[in-house]
Amino acid sequence: MKRGLMLGAAGLALCSSLALAAPESLLPPGFDDPAPAPAAAPPPRPSAAAPVQVQRPSAPSTPSMPAFSAGEAPGNVTLPEDFPTLEELEEMDTDEVDELFGLKPKFDIPAAARREVERVGLMDRAEGGLPVNSLAKQPASLVRAALAGTRGPLVSRWGHILLRRALASRLEPPAGMDPVEFAALRAALLVRIGEPQGARALVQDVDSSNYNEALTDAAFDAYLASADPVGMCPVARLKGDIRDDPLWQLTRSICAAFDGDGRRSQRELDRALGIGLAPAIDVLLAQRFAGAAAEGRRAVNIEWDGVTELTPWRFAMATALGITLPDSLSESGVPSYQLLLATAPAAPLVLRAAASDEAARAGVLSSAAMVDLYSQIYAAGSQGEPAARATQLREAYVAAEPEARLAAMRGLWGEGVPDYARQVLTAYAAARMPVSEGLAGEAGPLIASMLSAGLDRNAMRWAQAVPQGGLAWALLALAQPNRREPVDAGAVSDFIDDDSSEGQRKSRFLLAGLAGLGRLESNAVGGFSNRLGLDFTPRTRWMQAMAQAGEYGNPALVALLAGLGMQGDGWERMTPRHLYHIVRSLDRAGLSAEARMIAAEAVARG
């Protein structure tokens, strides 16, 4: 084998001087062989007298660059005077560079996933919402006045529940109103009455690209009231220049941290603290919140010395961070922070229990939600008054004897006039009580407790056991579903005679409720009106609008106008005339259940 290789090598060496055949070219003719160069002329023979000069090759020429003056760029483009330098561009983050060069997208949702804004809401009619076209043909000025004019809490728990249902329904905007404005007005009102979770869900039904300034303000308030400032980040990223106030700038810096750009967030918040962009406590809370997502996780000490005012920003940050707020802070926001604290998941159970009474009276918390809250307290084995209340509530449900269950409920209601919030708490325990003549004397507060949760059919089991003319009878006369025969005028007279409430308010509300529901003869209504000094004739534009909306059977408009007429911090602010028109219009518009519950609540709490 080696010998063969050696012979082959020798043969190759011998043939190395021979011309080997070149491979065939695959290029078309004329592309493989370069054109022959012209024959060079023979150089002239130098003479003896002329010296020979050797020509050295010159350096290769370089194309010259055009000269630009300061601030100019190729193509006759002039940059702005304040255009960042190269070093400043390198320090910018992606969002800032996109903003500088106009590369920021106008949409953050693919075209196929974008939602229309003509029907914004959380519940359609099949889910308990009001008809979608209830307001479509109504004048925008009337709806706008009703939504913007309702500024504070409502006196009625059931009125609050009805208004919340109307605001959360999937509705078309009224004629001539921009749908985004309609969503903004509804969300802002939900925040004002202490329903930030509903407001947050409502604004989330609108794509960020459709936000205007009004909806941004409403959404910002909703996220702060629900202790969720990060919820504004999609809008802050897409429309960062829609607001320019200090809290908005702090929010954008927080969002940068949660986007993974902790260095930018820390730099911006340090600068905000240095220049006094906002009060120091607000910036420190923002630094603490952003630090939960940033890489450094540096410690930020929160000191409340010198801070006297509780604002939505401070409430949101402290609640989300689990920081206990000092009792010395005065509340300056609407609604009461107790309503917000009762539904804040991050708040301790003891603080939520302390705030739950106000939330139950207002209609923010249901009876079932109250029971769930105290069940968690009981299961946690806590100490103190909330734990004792949880044990007492358990006794109201599971005690072997009805008298023991009733005693536990009395303990929760308190001495004297029963606390309405605790009646909401015991509603389902009251519904479990057996009907007996021996307990008929306690039927009034038991029935009021049941009706606070809408348990009208459970309450009606007591109809044959309670005497006519008493509180229990009056509540059942108002709450009874589908009553056909009129109420006995003699029983109404007996109720008026025994009424010891201030200014006979319960009797006046009873007459207004029965008249509004059409459950009293017209001549009896006139007689009792003269006796109590009442006049139900509509005298204001609001009453006339309520009457027309009821006659046309428009439940959404009636609900909004009813909310406008039930503003106040107590039932002493409600007049029998207002109650009459609210109950009558609700009943005519197909909201009979709400009308009955509002009328019964007025008598129970009047």
Side-chain angles (χ1 to χ4, degrees):
M1 184 65 180
K2 291 182 180 181
R3 183 180 180 184
L5 291 174
M6 293 175 64
L7 291 174
L12 181 61
L14 292 173
C15 298
S16 61
S17 60
L18 301 178
L20 298 178
E24 182 181 357
S25 174
L26 299 179
L27 294 174
F31 285 89
D32 50 352
D33 296 327
R45 300 180 69 89
S47 61
V52 178
Q53 296 182 358
V54 179
Q55 299 289 335
R56 298 181 180 274
S58 60
S61 61
T62 304
S64 60
M65 296 293 292
F68 297 104
S69 61
E72 293 184 354
N76 295 327
V77 176
T78 303
L79 298 176
E81 294 182 359
D82 59 347
F83 193 80
T85 63
L86 183 59
E87 292 77 8
E88 291 172 338
L89 287 172
E90 290 176 349
E91 292 182 358
M92 288 184 177
D93 56 36
T94 305
D95 286 346
E96 292 173 326
V97 174
D98 289 346
E99 245 180 79
L100 178 65
F101 291 101
L103 302 176
K104 204 164 188 178
K106 295 182 179 180
F107 304 97
D108 59 347
I109 298 178
R114 293 173 199 158
R115 297 164 294 181
E116 52 92 21
V117 294
E118 295 298 327
R119 295 184 176 184
V120 172
L122 311 180
M123 303 183 301
D124 61 18
R125 194 167 188 179
E127 299 168 323
L130 300 181
V132 68
N133 59 349
S134 297
L135 302 175
K137 296 182 180 180
Q138 300 303 317
S141 58
L142 176 61
V143 177
R144 185 181 295 110
L147 292 172
T150 307
R151 306 300 305 174
L154 275 58
V155 301
S156 169
R157 167 182 167 82
W158 278 103
H160 176 103
I161 294 171
L162 172 62
L163 181 60
R164 178 180 61 198
R165 176 187 171 196
L167 295 174
S169 296
R170 187 168 293 119
L171 299 172
E172 294 179 0
M177 180 181 288
D178 179 62
V180 178
E181 179 195 1
F182 185 47
L185 289 169
R186 291 156 61 193
L189 179 51
L190 282 169
V191 173
R192 290 197 297 271
I193 64 175
E195 295 286 353
Q197 287 79 14
R200 182 179 62 180
L202 185 66
V203 299
Q204 287 175 344
D205 201 35
V206 181
D207 294 344
S208 301
S209 57
N210 293 322
Y211 272 52
N212 59 13
E213 187 174 352
L215 185 59
T216 301
D217 293 342
F220 190 60
D221 293 341
Y223 283 113
L224 287 185
S226 55
D228 182 23
V230 182
M232 280 304 297
C233 289
V235 181
R237 284 193 297 265
L238 191 66
K239 295 192 172 185
D241 58 348
I242 199 169
R243 287 177 54 151
D244 194 29
D245 56 284
L247 294 183
W248 181 252
Q249 296 181 41
L250 295 181
T251 301
R252 294 193 64 192
S253 300
I254 290 174
C255 293
F258 280 84
D259 275 345
D261 197 348
R263 294 178 58 188
R264 171 194 167 192
S265 174
Q266 180 176 333
R267 182 174 67 251
E268 291 178 350
L269 291 175
D270 287 344
R271 180 177 178 275
L273 187 62
I275 65 175
L277 178 67
I281 185 64
D282 295 341
V283 182
L284 291 173
L285 287 169
Q287 286 182 329
R288 181 82 168 266
F289 195 92
E295 299 173 358
R297 294 183 178 272
R298 61 175 181 171
V300 178
N301 190 27
I302 304 297
E303 295 289 347
W304 295 98
D305 296 340
V307 181
T308 60
E309 185 180 11
L310 179 61
T311 63
W313 178 268
R314 293 162 193 172
F315 170 83
M317 292 296 165
T319 303
L321 292 168
I323 299 175
T324 302
L325 290 165
D327 296 333
S328 59
L329 297 184
S330 62
E331 297 183 3
S332 61
V334 176
S336 169
Y337 288 100
Q338 294 296 310
L339 300 182
L340 307 181
L341 189 62
T343 56
L349 291 175
V350 175
L351 294 180
R352 292 182 60 193
S356 63
D357 284 351
E358 184 175 343
R361 293 187 200 99
V364 173
L365 285 182
S366 67
S367 178
M370 291 275 284
V371 173
D372 288 345
L373 175 60
Y374 279 100
S375 298
Q376 294 179 58
I377 294 174
Y378 182 85
S382 305
Q383 302 296 324
E385 184 179 352
R389 202 177 301 145
T391 302
Q392 205 167 20
L393 179 63
R394 184 177 185 275
E395 189 72 7
Y397 274 92
V398 302
E401 300 298 328
E403 290 77 8
R405 300 204 296 272
L406 181 59
M409 281 186 271
R410 282 203 208 100
L412 290 169
W413 296 338
E415 299 293 334
V417 178
D419 188 335
Y420 190 71
R422 304 296 173 78
Q423 288 183 310
V424 175
L425 177 62
T426 60
Y428 289 93
R432 293 163 55 92
M433 290 291 293
V435 178
S436 66
E437 294 183 359
L439 298 176
E442 299 289 344
L446 285 173
I447 292 173
S449 180
M450 286 182 261
L451 295 181
S452 70
L455 305 177
D456 53 352
R457 298 189 181 277
N458 296 83
M460 289 308 300
R461 296 186 299 118
W462 289 84
Q464 302 302 321
V466 298
Q468 289 194 346
L471 176 62
W473 166 86
L475 295 177
L476 294 178
L478 292 168
Q480 182 179 1
N482 305 320
R483 185 184 182 101
R484 299 182 181 275
E485 66 279 1
V487 173
D488 182 17
V492 176
S493 181
D494 292 341
F495 184 87
I496 297 174
D497 291 338
D498 296 337
D499 183 14
S500 59
S501 62
E502 183 179 356
Q504 289 192 307
R505 187 180 297 126
K506 288 183 181 292
S507 296
R508 295 158 71 90
F509 284 161
L510 174 62
L511 179 60
L514 291 175
L517 292 171
R519 297 185 174 183
L520 201 59
E521 298 282 357
S522 57
N523 57 347
V525 172
F528 289 126
S529 297
N530 293 332
R531 179 177 174 181
L532 295 172
L534 298 179
D535 181 10
F536 298 131
T537 305
R539 299 186 182 276
T540 64
R541 294 183 60 186
W542 173 83
M543 294 178 184
Q544 295 170 1
M546 281 288 295
Q548 291 178 358
E551 290 176 2
Y552 293 147
N554 193 320
L557 185 58
V558 168
L560 297 183
L561 293 173
L564 182 64
M566 284 192 287
Q567 297 181 77
D569 52 5
W571 276 97
E572 64 275 7
R573 305 295 299 272
M574 174 65 68
T575 67
R577 181 186 297 168
H578 278 71
L579 180 64
Y580 166 80
H581 287 285
I582 289 170
V583 171
R584 181 177 177 84
S585 298
L586 289 174
D587 187 52
R588 288 190 171 188
L591 298 172
S592 174
E594 288 80 0
R596 293 184 288 109
M597 293 301 104
I598 290 174
E601 180 189 354
V603 174
R605 302 178 66 182

